[in-house]
Amino acid sequence: MSTPKLPVSPIELEDPAHSIPYGRQWIEDDDVAAVVEALRSDWLTTGPAVDSFERAIAESVHAAYAVAVSSGTAALHAAMFALRIGPGDEVIVPPMTFAATANCVVYQGGTPVFADVDPSTLLLDPAQVEAKTTERTKAIIAVDYAGQPCDYDKLRRFAAPRGIALVADACHALGATYKGQPVGSLADLTVFSFHPVKHITTGEGGMIATNRTELNARMRRFRNHGISSDHRQRSERGSWTYEMVELGYNYRISDFQCALGQCQLKKLNGWLVRRQEIADRYTWAFRGSRACPLRVRPESRHAWHLYVVQLAPPCDRQRVFSELRARGIGANVHYIPVHLHPYYRQRFGTGPGLCPAAEAAYERMLSLPMFPKMTNDDVDTVIAAVQRAVE
Ligand SMILES: *Cc1c(COP(=O)(O)O)cnc(C)c1O
């Protein structure tokens, strides 16, 4: 999403060289070495580093299978394809998410139906899901907003007996747990992204975790044009024949990207600990202030992709945002509710009033810098700037 233009001139920046972004990757020498090794190997794509990264993710999230693809968006598309979403089908999505969560339904010709979020957590509200369910509802996509898992027990208890598939858009939540169970083992399909602002990166990349054998097989074909064998399988068989059995795409990811992902995955747990420390420092500093953190539910391990505060009146979000940016602090807004985007208004007739909790939250929210490489000094700089701006 494009960031709004700074309403201040760059001269007003106190120290632009030390600006703090809202999120940032962390690449070290071992990551570089892993990529170089993959580049020197026989396989640049469809090779052993892809398998190995898939197995590592599957193991870490307690899923039977994981399918690596070229982005989180491709992963969402593959999930919709695997579930055979098509014209006439409805898929329930929250509005408080990145547009790709709803777009993947539209790619398949289905209709995204927006169900509102709980105002205290901004997670999909199971009561709203029930209210928006019809006989055409085929799936629910639950977004683990900011890194906090949704209420999977409630969502599963509602969806499973009705034959509705449960998909987790866990692009914010790699490494999170819900009642002791890792995100990745809680829904029929769980989608992750490895974009540089996410917990671990492959540059661009995504993954779908599942326990369901037939969905795993369909997604593997889907990322490879709908062809029933891949290049390496044919090479190992010494055969040139292949069959395209359904219409897929080229959503493959390369071996050097997966080599990077696997090296990054080793560091995930330490980075989650650091994200929690940063979150704790913010939460402590903002207690009782006009920058109100979201509610954290005790049954989860939060993955803290985002640290979001809601500004209490009379704070003006635009003014606070501009003041932070002028101080070199990369505050951001996650997200403009998807149903308010012009495309959705025009194509599906959505608009203001459809999801009042998400719309109200959007008006007063700010995401503060959150990434493991931040120092305590960086965090304190952000805290001081926020406190000054909200007073
Ligand atoms: C990042 C993100 C995506 C898309 O992932 P890409 O890898 O950028 O395609 C989808 N949903 C959510 C909630 C995200 O944060």
Side-chain angles (χ1 to χ4, degrees), residues 71-74 76 97-98 100-101 143 169 171-172 193-195 198 204-205 305 335:
S71 69
T73 303
L76 285 164
T97 184
F98 184 53
T101 311
V143 174
D169 178 341
C171 290
H172 295 186
S193 163
F194 307 122
H195 182 277
K198 306 295 164 66
E204 297 279 0
H305 165 56
Y335 293 94

Side-chain angles (χ1 to χ4, degrees), residues 374-390:
M374 277 180 93
T375 63
N376 285 345
D377 280 351
D378 290 336
V379 181
D380 292 344
T381 301
V382 176
I383 289 169
V386 171
Q387 280 168 339
R388 205 151 113 187
V390 302

Side-chain angles (χ1 to χ4, degrees), residues 296-375:
V296 175
R297 290 204 305 239
E299 70 270 28
S300 297
R301 180 192 194 187
H302 201 307
W304 293 111
H305 165 56
L306 300 175
Y307 192 91
V308 176
V309 292
Q310 296 197 282
L311 302 177
C315 286
D316 177 63
R317 196 259 309 269
Q318 183 57 48
R319 189 188 54 74
V320 175
F321 174 87
S322 303
E323 200 174 314
L324 293 175
R325 284 287 177 102
R327 293 182 193 290
I329 290 167
N332 219 321
V333 174
H334 298 94
Y335 293 94
I336 300 167
V338 179
H339 68 286
L340 298 182
H341 284 300
Y343 175 82
Y344 281 94
R345 292 190 193 213
Q346 280 153 27
R347 174 140 177 208
F348 295 100
T350 59
L354 186 63
C355 296
E359 291 162 31
Y362 161 63
E363 294 294 336
R364 57 195 198 95
M365 66 177 15
L366 271 185
S367 304
L368 302 179
M370 168 57 86
F371 51 96
K373 211 178 175 181
M374 277 180 93
T375 63

Side-chain angles (χ1 to χ4, degrees), residues 13-96:
L13 286 173
E14 279 184 349
D15 187 359
H18 287 94
S19 64
I20 306 172
Y22 93 84
R24 191 175 153 71
Q25 73 277 13
W26 192 345
I27 301 288
E28 296 175 298
D29 289 348
D30 56 343
D31 298 299
V32 174
V35 173
V36 169
E37 191 187 328
L39 284 171
R40 294 200 165 116
S41 76
D42 291 337
W43 295 93
L44 294 189
T45 188
T46 326
V50 179
D51 291 353
S52 170
F53 185 41
E54 288 178 337
R55 278 197 306 274
I57 290 281
E59 201 171 292
S60 83
V61 304
H62 297 190
Y65 309 102
V67 181
V69 291
S70 53
S71 69
T73 303
L76 285 164
H77 190 185
M80 293 298 101
F81 178 85
L83 295 172
R84 299 180 197 276
I85 300 304
D89 294 335
E90 294 178 355
V91 177
I92 293 178
V93 299
M96 187 48 69

